[in-house]
Amino acid sequence: DAGVTQSPTHLIKTRGQHVTLRCSPISGHKSVSWYQQVLGQGPQFIFQYYEKEERGRGNFPDRFSARQFPNYSSELNVNALLLGDSALYLCASSWWAMTPGSYYGYTFGSGTRLTVV
Amino acid sequence: DAKTTQPPSMDCAEGRAANLPCNHSTISGNEYVYWYRQIHSQGPQYIIHGLKNNETNEMASLIITEDRKSSTLILPHATLRDTAVYYCIVSPKGGSSNTGKLIFGQGTTLQVKP
């Protein structure tokens, strides 16, 4: 089975531009989470989507948005890019249900390396 | 903020056991201890998790103290490919506030040396 796939793998954008990052979860996984990892830091939570609804949002400005499609793939959009948005953007998928006792394992993709110049 | 404290770095000789400590003195009763690792330029990889009993799988063992305030991840026979940043995370199943949020700290950089 394919793991979590993210595209593109690398991207260079100019300040002020807009970017769209894409993620395909593992087959059968209905939850997708997005993380930002700045060099030298641990990943920081941005969003989680489950069944196309936003279930959680981290401390990120409104320039960051996301959505999940009927096939459970997801897009992360960032508007008005700043130099500080340069980071590795990670997507994680999970078989996730609000059922006590269910196993929650998160599988991460290899990420999209975004450089803002 | 992360609810765990880990040493920033550790070295281990190849073939020896690597013991990575983690302090989580404010852990709640419904929170699990998760370990992930991140090899350079890749996404984090799940290793193991536990609630209060010791756990073992094909990758590692997890020892949780009786008071649950600390834990140790054990890689029984470290290889060069185990060189990575190891993250200890405490979280309820489903993530913080059931939002799927995992709170990563700085982790421990494990360097396995020949």
Side-chain angles (χ1 to χ4, degrees):
Chain A
D1 283 343
V4 177
T5 57
Q6 293 188 243
S7 62
T9 55
H10 294 82
L11 199 54
I12 299 175
K13 289 287 191 178
T14 304
R15 278 179 299 176
Q17 285 188 315
H18 162 270
V19 68
T20 297
L21 310 180
R22 295 178 174 83
C23 172
S24 293
I26 289 174
S27 178
H29 285 191
K30 298 181 178 181
S31 170
V32 171
S33 301
W34 287 95
Y35 288 79
Q36 180 196 66
Q37 186 173 26
V38 175
L39 197 63
Q41 303 291 321
Q44 298 295 307
F45 175 78
I46 309 176
F47 287 110
Q48 193 213 23
Y49 277 77
Y50 175 69
E51 288 283 15
K52 295 168 286 182
E53 291 188 8
E54 181 183 302
R55 296 288 185 172
R57 184 184 185 110
N59 187 25
F60 280 82
D62 292 343
R63 299 185 296 108
F64 288 77
S65 64
R67 56 179 175 169
Q68 187 177 33
F69 299 99
N71 66 354
Y72 304 112
S73 66
S74 177
E75 284 183 354
L76 175 70
N77 295 283
V78 186
N79 293 323
L81 284 167
L82 303 174
L83 295 179
D85 296 329
S86 296
L88 179 68
Y89 288 85
L90 295 160
C91 173
S93 79
S94 172
W95 182 85
W96 189 81
M98 300 179 75
T99 304
S102 299
Y103 168 69
Y104 304 97
Y106 293 91
T107 303
F108 285 82
S110 295
T112 294
R113 173 73 61 187
L114 173 65
T115 301
V116 182
V117 297
Chain B
D1 289 341
K3 297 180 65 174
T4 61
T5 303
Q6 300 178 252
S9 63
M10 294 182 62
D11 289 341
C12 177
E14 188 178 20
R16 304 296 293 270
N19 297 283
L20 290 88
C22 179
N23 287 320
H24 32 79
S25 58
T26 61
I27 191 170
S28 300
N30 68 333
E31 288 182 319
Y32 288 71
V33 180
Y34 291 86
W35 283 85
Y36 283 77
R37 74 179 182 183
Q38 188 172 25
I39 297 171
H40 184 62
S41 297
Q42 297 182 20
Q45 176 192 24
Y46 165 82
I47 301 173
I48 198 168
H49 77 287
L51 183 62
K52 53 185 177 181
N53 297 320
N54 298 338
E55 302 288 345
T56 296
N57 63 20
E58 63 278 5
M59 290 183 67
S61 295
L62 174 60
I63 308 299
I64 303 174
T65 59
E66 191 170 346
D67 63 8
R68 303 210 322 125
K69 292 185 177 181
S70 66
S71 60
T72 301
L73 178 74
I74 301 172
L75 308 177
H77 305 287
T79 70
L80 298 178
R81 288 178 294 181
D82 292 322
T83 292
V85 179
Y86 287 77
Y87 295 100
C88 170
I89 299 167
V90 296
S91 176
K93 274 191 173 180
S96 177
S97 302
N98 224 22
T99 62
K101 177 180 181 180
L102 296 178
I103 302 175
F104 289 81
Q106 300 280 69
T108 295
T109 300
L110 175 68
Q111 182 73 48
V112 180
K113 298 185 174 182

